[in-house]
Amino acid sequence: MRTQVAIIGAGPSGLLLGQLLHKAGIDNIILERQTPDYVLGRIRAGILEQGTVDLLHEAGVGHRVAAEGIVHHSIELVFAGERHPIDVHGLTGGKVVTAYGQTEMTRDLMEARTAEGLPTVYQAANVSLHDFDGQRPLVRYEKDGQTHEIECDFIAGCDGFHGVSRASVKGAITEYEKVYPFGWLGILSDVPPVSPHAIVYANSERGFALCSMRSMTRSRYYVQVPLDDQVEDWSDERFWDELKRRLDPDLASRIITGPSIEKSIAPLRSFVGEPMRFGRLFLAGDAAHIVPPTGAKGLNLAASDVKYLSTALVEHYGEKSDAGIDTYSQRALRRIWKAERFSWWMTSLMHRFPDSAGFGQRVQEAELDYLAHSRALSTSLAENYVGLPFELH
Ligand code: RFL
Ligand code: PHB
């Protein structure tokens, strides 16, 4: 088989890249290790920046997010038992974020890909990348016991944190990592969200909590838990009780509880691998970087990498210029590091750290108080939350 761009991974990065390249007349094949149902079953992100929504429109799949996505104009911080709204819309000159599940975005992209007859190989096993240092890269994989090869011009490694793409260039990457001493326990439940107009981030003596949503009838809530907690330790009843104890009394009294339809624990990590280009191999999304979910940036960063990468490839094929390809890594990393900084900052501000009971705790309280009363710091939070602008030419 031969294609122009072989894409590894059918998560949001790979699917969005495939769609944008196809719109520009560039052939691509996606290789995915899992089944479509497995990919769609992974409950992850829920908040889209405007730039991400715009990209979905560019990729021709914006109709459902436009109809069903729920626009948020503000977020709320809870600390010392009180709520403090941050008017994100007002502080950014009218920008907003949209609540729309990663699963829905993935479904829209998968359906568009199927409708247009574009090739995706699911359950592709033992994918390996070859010769990307030269002019004729090759991707090998196994399917139903047979080995297949794809010759291509470029390989896009969109295969997430545990994928094969970054592993293929291990010796050539500088890694920066920070692991946090806690995780998030998240549940999804078919109950109306307690705060349908603003995402709530709560810092309490008992730890962090987050109130989010997928729709007017589906809620997503999280609580900070120790790293060694197991999901089995957390009955639904224990979860709801703990969530309420971390909110202010008014919100807590208005939480509507119900059975969980998904429950999982995710560790928190910051990670960047540099560079993101190795000859004719590019890394994008979680394959190259991870942020803790506190700033809602992971999926949005994946989208901005794909914006830069698709623009670079379109220039390569259309204008015969490699300027975008040559600057992809630097350009993407400038935006990534700003989102890393923001996510680290939000994480530091909102969680209880087991090892900083004294001075660190007091400084955190002072910063929250400062934030609640400072237009300058609130504006900084707001402009990062809605997403920093893409670097255009
Ligand atoms: P993904 O989604 O991990 O997709 C990678 C795909 O590659 C496949 N794959 C392979 N395919 C072929 N061969 C191999 N050897 C392969 N190895 C892996 C995988 O099966 C998969 O289908 O990466 P992508 O596309 O870069 O997308 C990134 C986002 O998924 C991620 O950044 C966000 O979900 C992170 N994240 C959040 N981001 C936000 O912006 N806001 C959030 O609220 C938010 N919450 C979360 C999150 C991530 C979580 N994780 C990782 C558990 C909550 C959780 C719980
Ligand atoms: C979510 O809805 O899953 C969500 C929202 C905001 C975050 C993280 C996760 O910061």
Side-chain angles (χ1 to χ4, degrees):
M1 267 188 290
R2 156 134 205 108
T3 190
Q4 288 174 303
V5 182
I7 300 174
I8 319 299
S13 314
L15 288 166
L16 185 57
L17 179 64
Q19 210 58 26
L20 290 168
L21 292 181
H22 170 69
K23 290 270 160 214
I26 301 170
D27 287 348
N28 59 86
I29 298 178
I30 299 185
L31 297 180
E32 164 61 49
R33 183 164 56 183
Q34 307 287 355
T35 64
D37 283 348
Y38 183 95
V39 171
L40 283 172
R42 288 189 300 230
I43 309 295
R44 292 184 173 177
I47 298 293
L48 306 188
E49 297 170 359
Q50 190 57 47
T52 305
V53 174
D54 293 346
L55 265 184
L56 291 176
H57 283 287
E58 228 177 274
V61 296
H63 46 282
R64 208 153 68 90
V65 66
E68 296 175 25
I70 293 162
V71 169
H72 287 304
H73 291 82
S74 62
I75 63 172
E76 284 197 328
L77 303 181
V78 177
F79 61 91
E82 285 182 22
R83 280 154 74 188
H84 302 269
I86 305 275
D87 175 11
V88 166
H89 181 261
L91 290 165
T92 57
K95 296 188 177 153
V96 295
V97 294
T98 301
Y100 191 67
Q102 178 168 330
T103 44
E104 303 311 306
M105 171 173 159
T106 307
R107 182 185 300 283
D108 295 345
L109 287 161
M110 271 186 185
E111 283 177 1
R113 198 167 172 87
T114 307
E116 304 198 42
L118 306 180
T120 313
V121 180
Y122 286 97
Q123 294 179 288
N126 294 324
V127 171
S128 59
L129 318 185
H130 306 271
D131 303 335
F132 47 81
D133 278 343
Q135 295 297 309
R136 304 182 65 90
L138 184 79
V139 178
R140 204 169 279 138
Y141 67 97
E142 288 165 23
K143 169 99 184 168
D144 301 328
Q146 293 213 315
T147 303
H148 303 263
E149 285 186 351
I150 303 176
E151 288 173 19
C152 55
D153 301 334
F154 297 101
I155 303 173
C158 299
D159 47 350
F161 189 62
H162 299 289
V164 65
S165 300
R166 198 179 70 257
S168 305
V169 287
K170 189 119 185 76
I173 285 196
T174 305
E175 299 186 344
Y176 300 89
E177 185 170 39
K178 183 173 176 61
V179 175
Y180 300 86
F182 40 72
W184 280 17
L185 167 65
I187 72 161
L188 195 64
S189 182
D190 278 331
V191 290
V194 69
S195 173
H197 304 297
I199 307 293
V200 179
Y201 293 84
N203 177 327
S204 86
E205 271 175 19
R206 301 181 64 88
F208 172 76
L210 172 61
C211 307
S212 183
M213 59 189 289
R214 293 290 177 270
S215 70
M216 287 304 187
T217 54
R218 180 168 285 186
S219 299
R220 180 77 167 152
Y221 295 106
Y222 299 90
V223 294
Q224 172 186 349
V225 293
L227 273 180
D228 49 8
D229 268 24
Q230 306 293 319
V231 176
E232 302 75 55
D233 301 335
W234 286 87
S235 64
D236 288 356
E237 196 186 357
R238 179 173 174 212
F239 180 90
W240 291 117
D241 182 53
E242 187 59 40
L243 175 68
K244 288 180 194 173
R245 284 159 160 246
R246 296 183 185 194
L247 301 174
D248 68 290
D250 173 54
L251 267 185
S253 70
R254 290 192 288 112
I255 291 269
I256 299 173
T257 65
S260 63
I261 52 175
E262 197 264 354
K263 195 190 285 166
S264 53
I265 295 181
L268 267 65
R269 180 197 302 272
S270 299
F271 172 91
V272 182
E274 295 185 0
M276 291 167 62
R277 178 205 174 182
F278 306 84
R280 288 177 168 258
L281 165 66
F282 304 93
L283 301 182
D286 278 18
H289 44 76
I290 296 287
V291 287
T294 325
K297 289 286 160 253
L299 175 59
N300 293 300
L301 272 188
S304 61
D305 289 354
V306 164
K307 165 90 179 171
Y308 292 150
L309 182 54
S310 59
T311 306
L313 289 169
V314 170
E315 274 174 16
H316 168 86
Y317 285 107
E319 299 167 17
K320 309 286 184 226
S321 157
D322 282 351
I325 286 178
D326 290 339
T327 55
Y328 167 69
S329 184
Q330 296 94 308
R331 206 150 51 128
L333 282 164
R334 274 196 291 276
R335 194 168 189 279
I336 289 158
W337 273 111
K338 290 184 194 106
E340 290 283 344
R341 183 210 69 82
F342 176 65
S343 306
W344 159 82
W345 175 75
M346 279 277 279
T347 303
S348 309
L349 185 69
M350 297 311 297
H351 291 76
R352 289 289 154 144
F353 284 75
D355 52 355
S356 66
F359 188 83
Q361 177 59 33
R362 282 286 189 269
V363 167
Q364 191 193 61
E365 288 163 14
E367 187 158 23
L368 282 165
D369 194 29
Y370 174 46
L371 173 61
H373 297 100
S374 161
R375 190 176 170 89
L377 191 52
S378 300
T379 304
S380 167
L381 191 165
E383 75 177 350
N384 280 278
Y385 198 79
V386 298
L388 295 175
F390 295 139
E391 268 181 52
L392 301 167
H393 291 288

